[in-house]
Amino acid sequence: MAPDAEEPDPISDSEPDTPPSRRRGIGLCLSGGGFRATLFHLGAIQRLHELGIATRPDFDTVTSVSGGSITAAQWALALSPSLRGATPSAGPEAISSPSYHNDIARPLQALASRDIRTGAMAKKFLLPWNWFRGAFVIDTMVDRFEEAFGKGTLNLLPDHPRFVFCGTDMAFGANFIFERDRVGSYLAGYAPPEGFTLAQAVAASACFPPLFGPMRIDRAALRFKGGRAKGVSADERKQILEDLRVTDGGVYDNMGLEPVWKSHRVVLVSDAGGLMDAEADKNFFWRIQRYQSIQDRQSRALRKRFLISGYTQGTFNGAYFGVASSTTHYPGARDPGYSKEFAMGVIRNIRTDLDAFSEVEQAVLMNHGYALVDAAVRTHVPELVAQDAAFGLPFPALAPPAMAEDELRRMLAGSEKRKLTGRR
């Protein structure tokens, strides 16, 4: 039975697939997963820069969700003097040749070493005058990201590559995008980007429930035009948009696939999202969380099957690499990296949180992303490598053979636990 033409396809969203012969460009998708994802992706993009992939003319689009949006924001900031508050006289060299270590890695590592969620939550629930301020936590989150990324608006994002920050449209249940040319969803409509800051885009993309409430879009009924929601009258649409809210992009698409997998020739996916383990039944509250986890797991599995199917059928080319994998999975790997047992038993269990990450946690995650993307690209899309740079982990002293995995396990003990009062 054919799907109802009036209903959007929940997997392919708004636009039909582009035939393989007409697909263009390389798209990189950075998943959600708190600071774990931020750091894993940070290691991956270091290697993509070293291999010349991230600077290829056809490296077209970077999509991101939640923790991945934190990485993407710093990357975009490094590429745009306008976002950094620089003058136009900074010249094209400042745009095309940022220092990866000084302009991307170091600021992100400094941010990930801070707890940016506990203080906001404590002030919300411990100070009575904040109890009825529904937007207090998300507003505080915006403030934290303004400290990191400034107050530049989205129209100042770099021309190339295209950065797309993904959230979830809670009114219509669609992918909600923040990019250089527009903000919105195909069902709610789109607004000009000048009214939205990079910090707001990252906060909306990363406000994972239930710790952070959704971001309310002010004056959406006046700002958003178009929209293809079926069966909604003009009056109903206006009423809905009067209180339009956007939440974490992972609620809809935790891998950020929507903006690229229907149109790009190459789709690279860096996935550091959360995984679900088997557990015995505990109590009523555990079940509520478990229902959501199972739904999330099935949604992610379905999208991953569509992705892998696209690879195998030749609809598009590319590579997927996940935080639970190891380089031994890839025949083209040049470095052993961390073992499968260590990846599954330790790295994949590191918390997905916006609490402070230690130097060891940061180093292991960056090393892992670096090694995996190198192995995945060499195995599945070796033709993308523009320059065969020497392999050098970001933190070689915290990886075999310099350090045994048993010692790393000891150093990372407890890294899977979230602490209510924060770590630092």
Side-chain angles (χ1 to χ4, degrees):
M1 180 177 178
D4 188 339
E6 294 295 305
E7 292 293 328
D9 182 342
I11 297 300
S12 64
D13 208 346
S14 59
E15 302 296 334
D17 283 1
T18 302
S21 62
R22 294 174 52 196
R23 287 173 172 266
R24 299 289 184 272
I26 302 168
L28 172 65
C29 305
L30 305 177
S31 80
F35 279 151
R36 182 177 83 183
T38 300
L39 296 159
F40 180 79
H41 302 323
L42 183 56
I45 67 170
Q46 176 177 341
R47 191 54 178 163
L48 290 175
H49 275 88
E50 291 175 356
L51 295 176
I53 296 173
T55 53
R56 286 174 55 122
D58 57 347
F59 185 78
D60 183 68
T61 305
V62 178
T63 69
S64 59
V65 179
S66 195
S69 288
I70 298 173
T71 307
Q74 188 63 48
W75 189 356
L77 196 68
L79 291 171
S80 175
S82 297
L83 269 175
R84 299 197 307 269
T87 63
S89 62
E93 183 176 352
I95 298 176
S96 61
S97 303
S99 165
Y100 167 81
H101 292 286
N102 293 332
D103 299 326
I104 302 176
R106 287 178 182 172
L108 280 177
Q109 288 178 261
L111 179 62
S113 68
R114 297 171 52 198
D115 174 6
I116 68 172
R117 55 92 168 152
T118 304
M121 299 302 299
K123 291 178 182 178
K124 169 69 176 179
F125 295 107
L126 296 181
L127 302 178
W129 51 87
N130 289 328
W131 290 354
F132 302 102
R133 295 174 59 188
F136 175 80
V137 177
I138 186 64
D139 287 346
T140 302
M141 194 177 191
V142 172
D143 292 341
R144 295 292 177 270
F145 288 134
E146 283 183 352
E147 294 172 5
F149 308 127
K151 298 183 180 181
T153 51
L154 296 177
N155 57 298
L156 302 178
L157 285 168
D159 289 321
H160 183 86
R162 169 191 172 214
F163 284 87
V164 183
F165 301 88
C166 299
T168 298
D169 177 344
M170 292 190 68
F172 296 99
N175 194 45
F176 192 99
I177 61 171
F178 297 83
E179 58 174 314
R180 190 178 191 273
D181 298 323
R182 60 182 183 170
V183 171
S185 75
Y186 81 103
L187 292 176
Y190 295 96
E194 289 84 357
F196 299 87
T197 66
L198 176 61
Q200 287 175 318
V202 177
S205 180
C207 57
F208 56 91
L211 289 182
F212 296 95
M215 175 182 289
R216 185 177 185 274
I217 306 297
D218 294 332
R219 299 179 294 106
L222 296 175
R223 300 162 73 184
F224 285 70
K225 306 299 180 183
R228 288 186 274 165
K230 303 293 183 180
V232 179
S233 69
D235 287 342
E236 288 172 329
R237 180 179 180 277
K238 180 179 179 181
Q239 183 178 7
I240 291 170
L241 292 182
E242 287 292 348
D243 196 22
L244 180 64
R245 296 171 188 262
V246 179
T247 192
D248 189 301
V251 173
Y252 183 82
D253 173 15
N254 197 54
M255 288 186 283
L257 293 169
E258 286 291 352
V260 300
W261 72 347
K262 298 186 293 291
S263 58
H264 284 58
R265 177 180 61 86
V266 177
V267 179
L268 304 175
V269 180
S270 180
D271 186 5
L275 301 171
M276 191 180 78
D277 291 318
E279 293 183 23
D281 188 88
K282 296 180 180 177
N283 52 47
F284 173 78
F285 297 102
W286 175 89
R287 290 181 208 121
I288 292 176
Q289 182 181 24
R290 197 65 170 178
Y291 297 145
Q292 182 181 5
S293 297
I294 292 171
Q295 290 176 328
D296 174 70
R297 179 186 184 186
Q298 291 306 305
S299 174
R300 288 168 55 81
L302 186 57
R303 287 185 180 276
K304 186 176 176 181
R305 283 197 291 270
F306 267 72
L307 177 70
I308 301 303
S309 176
Y311 291 151
T312 57
Q313 293 179 11
T315 305
F316 45 78
N317 206 352
Y320 166 94
F321 52 100
V323 72
S325 188
S326 71
T327 57
T328 57
H329 177 75
Y330 300 95
R334 292 191 175 183
D335 186 274
Y338 298 113
S339 69
K340 180 65 174 178
E341 293 74 20
F342 188 74
M344 283 291 293
V346 179
I347 301 177
R348 69 168 287 233
N349 293 320
I350 294 175
R351 64 201 176 281
T352 57
D353 200 357
L354 294 180
D355 194 0
F357 273 54
S358 70
E359 293 181 3
V360 176
E361 290 169 336
Q362 292 191 22
V364 168
L365 286 165
M366 290 176 65
N367 282 347
H368 197 42
Y370 181 101
L372 281 178
V373 71
D374 184 83
V377 166
R378 292 187 186 281
T379 299
H380 297 294
V381 278
E383 67 276 10
L384 295 185
V385 178
Q387 55 194 42
D388 198 8
F391 185 96
L393 291 173
F395 299 92
L398 289 167
M403 181 172 290
E405 288 185 349
D406 285 345
E407 177 63 13
L408 285 170
R409 284 178 182 272
R410 186 191 65 77
M411 296 172 71
L412 290 170
S415 63
E416 74 284 359
K417 297 177 181 177
R418 292 185 177 92
K419 294 188 176 181
L420 183 61
T421 57
R423 292 176 178 256
R424 188 176 302 175

